[in-house]
């Protein structure tokens, strides 16, 4: 699989008409680039963030006021998360409009939808981490909406067992945001690239 992944990134033969930006608008590649940059900026933020109700907001203030480039890195991380959602959504929309989800491409379509859902969940879990008023009330509203959905109460109790913004809940959002969701996204992206390579018909130059 790793060899297929590398071959996908560096195909031996590329037809001239497939180099047209209008063919796929390179939305998948741009989304993956945004994922990589999110991982890098997120890694830098980890050096200062404190995943406790008392220390989270204080660490954000320290990062923005006392760390060289801290405010820029945090703003870049937030903008990249928005950009990733837009790119993945546009990529899914392009696939729908061109009908590139049917036949042998169904499994690749499902991995793409999975990536979209993970990107949304990753953005949501990151929303609580600053622990300011906006993030607290937005997360609490989301949890209340989730509770009225079928089995939503069970999921809410798993995500926020001691209430929004409490120690265990914040730690779970933190673990999901920095490890679980990114790990699943990169694993699923790897499968996505592998299926693109194996199906070949998705991208003619393969």
């Amino acid at each position: 699989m790793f060899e297929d992944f590398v071959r996908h990134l560096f195909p031996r033969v590329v037809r001239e008409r497939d180099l047209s930006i209008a063919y796929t608008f390179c939305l998948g590649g741009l989304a993956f680039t945004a994922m990589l940059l999110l991982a890098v900026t997120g890694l830098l933020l980890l050096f200062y963030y404190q995943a406790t109700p008392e220390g989270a907001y204080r660490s954000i203030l320290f990062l923005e006021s006392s760390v060289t480039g801290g405010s820029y890195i945090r703003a870049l991380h937030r903008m990249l998360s928005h950009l990733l959602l837009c790119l993945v959504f546009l990529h899914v929309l392009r696939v729908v409009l061109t009908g590139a989800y049917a036949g042998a491409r169904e499994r690749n379509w499902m991995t793409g939808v999975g990536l979209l859902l993970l990107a949304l969940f990753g953005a949501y879990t990151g929303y609580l981490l600053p622990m300011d008023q906006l993030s607290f009330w937005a997360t609490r509203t989301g949890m209340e909406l989730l509770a009225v959905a079928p089995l939503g109460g069970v999921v809410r109790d798993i995500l926020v067992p001691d209430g929004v913004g409490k120690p265990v809940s914040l730690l779970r959002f933190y673990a999901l945001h920095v490890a679980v969701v990114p790990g699943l996204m990169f694993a699923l992206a790897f499968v996505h690239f592998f299926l693109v390579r194996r199906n070949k018909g998705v991208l003619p130059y393969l």
Side-chain angles (χ1 to χ4, degrees):
M1 288 181 66
F2 182 75
E3 186 178 356
D4 286 328
F5 176 73
V6 174
R7 285 179 178 176
H8 171 73
L9 296 179
F10 305 101
R12 289 176 297 178
V13 179
V14 179
R15 295 188 304 194
E16 184 175 355
R17 70 180 180 85
D18 295 333
L19 295 175
S20 171
I21 189 67
Y23 182 67
T24 63
F25 297 101
C26 200
L27 292 169
L30 290 173
F32 187 68
T33 303
M35 278 178 56
L36 293 175
L37 292 175
L38 268 171
V40 172
T41 53
L43 182 63
L44 295 175
L45 294 175
L46 286 180
F47 286 99
Y48 293 96
Y49 181 74
Q50 298 177 29
T52 62
E54 299 79 15
Y57 185 61
R58 189 167 58 236
S59 66
I60 294 296
L61 292 179
F62 177 78
L63 176 74
E64 295 203 334
S65 61
S66 303
V67 178
T68 303
S71 179
Y72 170 75
I73 294 296
R74 182 174 177 242
L76 181 61
H77 188 73
R78 184 173 63 248
M79 291 177 64
L80 283 169
S81 69
H82 298 164
L83 179 63
L84 175 63
L85 288 176
C86 292
L87 289 170
V88 174
F89 177 77
L90 290 174
H91 187 50
V92 170
L93 182 62
R94 198 275 303 170
V95 171
V96 170
L97 294 178
T98 57
Y101 54 83
R105 304 166 181 170
E106 283 185 353
R107 281 196 290 180
N108 210 22
W109 160 252
M110 293 173 65
T111 60
V113 173
L115 282 168
L116 173 62
L117 296 177
L118 283 172
L120 287 169
F121 187 57
Y124 180 71
T125 54
Y127 211 80
L128 177 64
L129 299 188
M131 281 296 291
D132 54 16
Q133 286 293 312
L134 179 62
S135 63
F136 174 81
W137 290 108
T139 306
R140 183 165 180 174
T141 301
M143 288 295 107
E144 294 300 323
L145 292 173
L146 177 64
V148 300
L151 298 177
V154 176
V155 178
R156 184 194 60 180
D157 291 341
I158 294 174
L159 291 175
V160 289
D162 54 348
V164 175
K166 300 300 182 183
V168 177
S169 302
L170 183 61
L171 188 60
R172 291 190 179 182
F173 270 63
Y174 178 67
L176 287 168
H177 186 71
V178 305
V180 178
V181 174
L184 290 175
M185 287 187 70
F186 277 107
L188 203 56
F190 187 85
V191 174
H192 194 69
F193 284 131
F194 170 73
L195 291 174
V196 168
R197 175 72 186 177
R198 194 178 66 174
N199 292 337
K200 300 182 187 303
V202 177
L203 293 176
Y205 58 73
L206 296 175

